[in-house]
Amino acid sequence: MGRNPRRDLLAGLTVAVVALPLALGFGVSSGLGAGAGLATAVVAGALAALFGGSNLQVSGPTGAMTVVLVPIMAQYGPGGVLTVGLMAGVLLIVLALLKAGRSMRYIPAPVVEGFTLGIACVIGLQQVPNALGVAEPEGDKVLVVAWRATEEFVRTPNWTAVALAVGVAAVMLLGARWRPTVPFSIIAVIAATLAAQLFHLDAATPIGDLPSGLPAPSLGFLDLSALGSLLAPAVAVAALAALESLLSATVADGMTVGQQHDPDKELFGQGIANLAAPLFGGVPATAAIARTAVNVRTGAGSRLAALTHAAVLAVIVFAAAPLVSRIPLAALAGVLLATAIRMVEVGALRAMARATRSDAIVLVLTAAATLVLDLVYAVIIGLAVAGALALRAVAGQARMDQVDFRADLPGEHSDEEHALLAEHIVAYRIDGPLFFAGAHRFLLELSEVADVRVVILRMSRVSTMDATGALVLKDAVEKLNRRGIAVLTSGVRPGQRRTLESVGALDLLRREGREYATTPEAIAAARAHLHRTGVLPAAPDTAEAVR
C-alpha cells in the first residue's frame, strides 16, 4: 500500500470518530471515568503509533482490558489501576528485549475465539446497570452485578435509559449492515445526547464533567509498598496487552498487501504507551482490533493515520469537553452493547465448534472461564486444556506393530530354520513419538510378549523421544531380560542416543552387542543368539561372522 498523507489523515479522522464513544465508554466501565479513557486514547494511541511495530495499528482502551481492570479497581482503587499499568509497561518492554513477540503466534485459535466470546459476554453484562439506568451495585463478579442491577430495575424501572441504550445499539447494528463505512456510533450518541437535552430527560444520567485538557504528568499515585501485591495483576495486564496487540497486528497484516509487523517492536511500543498513560491518569492500553480494522478499511497506509486519530481526540479533550460531558451513560452503554454483539463472529465460532471435538471443548471452557473467573485464568485454562488434548492426539498417533522380518533375514536358511526363527523371534516397529503422554502403553504391550527368545525393536521411525519414553523402554527391556528374552534394537537415531544414554538405557541395550545400526544386522545377531543358546542347530560360521 503506497503512502498517501491525505488518505491517512482522512482515515485517522474516521477512526477518531469511531474511537471517541468507545474511549469514553471503556473509561467509565473501568471505574476511572470517561476522562481516563480519553487520556489513554490520546497518550497511548500516539506513543504506540510512534514506537510500535505496525504501521496500521490503533491503540487505546479496550473492552478486553476493561474486563481485567474492573476487579483490580474494586480491590486496589484508582491508584492500583494506574500502578498496574505502569508495571505492565515495564514488563512489556522486558518481553520485547527478550524477543518474546514471536512466541505469541502459538496461542491456539479456539483459545482466542473462546476468550473473545467470553469478553463480549462480560462487556455486555458490565453495561447492564447503565443501560437500565440504575446505580452500580456492589460486587466484583459481573454476573452478580448484572443480576443485582436487574433486581433494582424491577423495583424502580427507568425506561428512558433502556430506550436510549437500545436505540443507540440498534442504530449501530442496523446501520453497520446498511452502510458499513458510516460511523453510526457517533451519530447515535449525538442523537441520544440531543434527545436528552431537548426533552429534558432527567432519567438520562450524563457521564459528568471532563477535564478540559490532559493533566500534568505525575507519579503521585505510586505506592512502592503495594508493588509486591500488584505484581500478579500487572503480569495479567501485560500478558493481555501483548496478546491482543499482536493478534490485532496480525489481523491488520492479513487485511493488506505488503504490510508486515515486527512483533518485538510492537511489544516495545505498547510498553512505552503503558508507561506513559498512567502518568496522565490513563488506564492500561492495548491495540484495538476493531479500530485497527476501521483504520485499514478507510485506506490508512502509514502511522500518520493512528497519530491523526490521537490528535483529533486531543482536540476534543481541549475544545469540546463540556459538550462531551453531557452524553448520557445509557448511550455509552448502548455503544458498548453493540460492540460486544459485533465481537461475536458466529461463523468463526461455528467453524471452531465443528472442526474437532477438542477445539469445541477448548472454546467452550475458555469462554466459560472468562465469564465465571477472569480473562487470565481463562487463557491459562484454555492453553492447558488445548495442550493436554493436543498431547493426547499426538500420543494416539504412535504405534507399535509386529512386522515380518523375512525380507531382512540375511544369508541362506531352510524352511525348517525359518519356521524355528519365526517361532522364537518377534520384530516390532515403533512409529511416531515415544514420550510421556503415551510411552506406558508400549511398556504394557512389550511386557505381554511371551513364548519367544528374542525381541527386535525397529526404532528408525521413532520421531521423538523424551526421558519418560527412554525410561519406559529401559524398564521393558529389563523385564523381558528377567524372563530370559533378549531385546535387540535397530535404527536408533543419533538425536535419541543422548536421551537413552541419560537414563542408562543405551548401556543396557549395548550389553552383549544388542544395539545395531540396521535391521538386517539385528536379525543376524538374533539368529546367532539362538544358535549359541542351542535353540537352533549349531552354525559356527554364521555365529562367528556375526560376532
Side-chain angles (χ1 to χ4, degrees):
M1 184 180 292
R3 293 196 173 188
N4 187 326
R6 188 173 183 180
R7 189 169 56 192
D8 286 336
L9 291 172
L10 180 60
L13 177 61
T14 304
V15 174
V17 171
V18 172
L20 175 60
L22 293 175
L24 296 171
F26 289 135
V28 171
S29 294
S30 71
L32 268 73
L38 277 176
T40 304
V42 173
V43 177
L47 292 176
L50 283 173
F51 296 101
S54 171
N55 291 328
L56 307 175
Q57 194 93 279
V58 178
S59 299
T62 63
M65 188 61 75
T66 301
V67 171
V68 177
L69 295 180
V70 168
I72 299 174
M73 177 67 182
Q75 186 171 357
Y76 300 103
V81 173
L82 298 179
T83 303
V84 162
L86 198 70
M87 296 171 67
V90 175
L91 292 173
L92 286 168
I93 292 175
V94 171
L95 287 175
L97 296 177
L98 293 176
K99 306 292 184 183
R102 288 171 177 80
S103 63
M104 292 294 175
R105 70 183 65 177
Y106 298 114
I107 302 294
V111 175
V112 175
E113 293 294 338
F115 78 68
T116 301
L117 173 61
I119 288 168
C121 294
V122 173
I123 292 173
L125 290 170
Q126 284 177 341
Q127 309 317 309
V128 170
N130 287 336
L132 298 180
V134 301
E136 183 86 19
E138 293 185 2
D140 57 355
K141 296 297 182 183
V142 66
L143 286 169
V144 174
V145 172
W147 178 257
R148 290 174 179 172
T150 303
E151 290 179 329
E152 179 63 25
F153 176 80
V154 170
R155 287 192 291 269
T156 56
N158 185 344
W159 295 108
T160 300
V162 172
L164 289 176
V166 173
V168 169
V171 169
M172 287 181 62
L173 294 173
L174 296 176
R177 295 174 64 88
W178 177 51
R179 289 284 191 274
T181 58
V182 177
F184 281 98
S185 58
I186 196 69
I187 294 174
V189 168
I190 291 174
T193 305
L194 290 175
Q197 295 297 312
L198 291 175
F199 297 103
H200 304 290
L201 302 178
D202 296 332
T205 306
I207 63 176
D209 294 337
L210 291 174
S212 58
L214 294 175
S218 171
L219 280 172
F221 59 86
L222 189 60
D223 181 5
L224 296 178
S225 63
L227 294 183
S229 61
L230 292 173
L231 180 58
V235 171
V237 168
L240 176 59
L243 179 63
E244 190 171 14
S245 297
L246 295 179
L247 177 63
S248 175
T250 302
V251 170
D253 289 347
M255 296 176 66
T256 61
V257 177
Q259 293 282 356
Q260 190 70 33
H261 75 282
D262 182 334
D264 296 315
K265 189 177 179 182
E266 180 61 27
L267 290 182
F268 181 79
Q270 293 297 331
I272 295 295
N274 279 285
L275 270 177
L279 304 181
F280 296 89
V283 298
T286 179
I289 296 177
R291 277 158 272 178
T292 299
V294 171
N295 195 39
V296 175
R297 284 198 297 263
T298 50
S302 73
R303 301 168 190 266
L304 178 60
L307 287 170
T308 302
H309 138 269
V312 171
L313 291 177
V315 171
I316 293 174
V317 170
F318 283 99
L323 296 176
V324 174
S325 65
R326 298 178 183 178
I327 296 175
L329 285 171
L332 291 183
V335 171
L336 299 187
L337 285 171
T339 301
I341 293 172
R342 292 168 65 176
M343 286 176 66
V344 180
E345 297 185 11
V346 178
L349 294 175
R350 187 182 293 117
M352 290 292 168
R354 291 178 175 176
T356 66
R357 181 178 297 178
S358 296
D359 289 331
I361 291 172
V362 171
L363 189 152
V364 171
L365 281 179
T366 306
T370 303
L371 188 59
V372 177
L373 302 174
D374 63 45
L375 187 62
V376 178
Y377 283 122
V379 173
I380 293 173
I381 291 171
L383 288 175
V385 173
L389 293 174
L391 286 174
R392 180 184 176 187
V394 171
Q397 295 174 357
R399 298 176 56 186
M400 187 175 71
D401 299 316
Q402 185 175 346
V403 294
D404 188 357
F405 58 84
R406 284 179 295 181
D408 296 307
L409 188 62
E412 297 294 331
H413 55 278
S414 63
D415 292 341
E416 182 181 359
E417 183 185 17
H418 177 267
L420 286 171
L421 290 172
E423 181 180 350
H424 296 292
I425 301 174
V426 64
Y428 290 99
R429 181 175 60 217
I430 302 177
D431 287 290
L434 187 60
F435 71 131
F436 72 93
H440 294 283
R441 179 160 51 90
F442 294 111
L443 173 61
L444 293 175
E445 292 184 32
L446 283 174
S447 299
E448 292 174 357
V449 174
D451 300 328
V452 298
R453 298 296 183 91
V454 181
V455 171
I456 298 175
L457 296 179
R458 302 175 61 174
M459 301 182 63
S460 60
R461 296 188 182 181
V462 175
S463 58
T464 186
M465 180 188 298
D466 66 357
T468 303
L471 283 170
V472 165
L473 182 62
K474 179 184 177 183
D475 193 13
V477 172
E478 289 175 338
K479 288 184 176 181
L480 292 173
N481 286 346
R482 286 196 293 268
R483 292 167 51 196
I485 300 174
V487 179
L488 285 65
T489 61
S490 67
V492 177
R493 295 184 179 184
Q496 296 162 5
R497 291 182 181 275
R498 181 176 179 180
T499 305
L500 290 168
E501 286 177 343
S502 68
V503 299
L506 200 59
D507 290 338
L508 177 64
L509 293 171
R510 282 174 173 169
R511 291 172 192 167
E512 302 181 17
R514 292 177 177 176
E515 192 261 323
Y516 299 92
T518 65
T519 298
E521 290 177 338
I523 295 173
R527 187 179 181 185
H529 174 77
L530 294 179
H531 283 299
R532 289 196 305 271
T533 57
V535 177
L536 295 180
D541 295 340
T542 303
E544 193 64 34
V546 172
R547 290 170 190 245

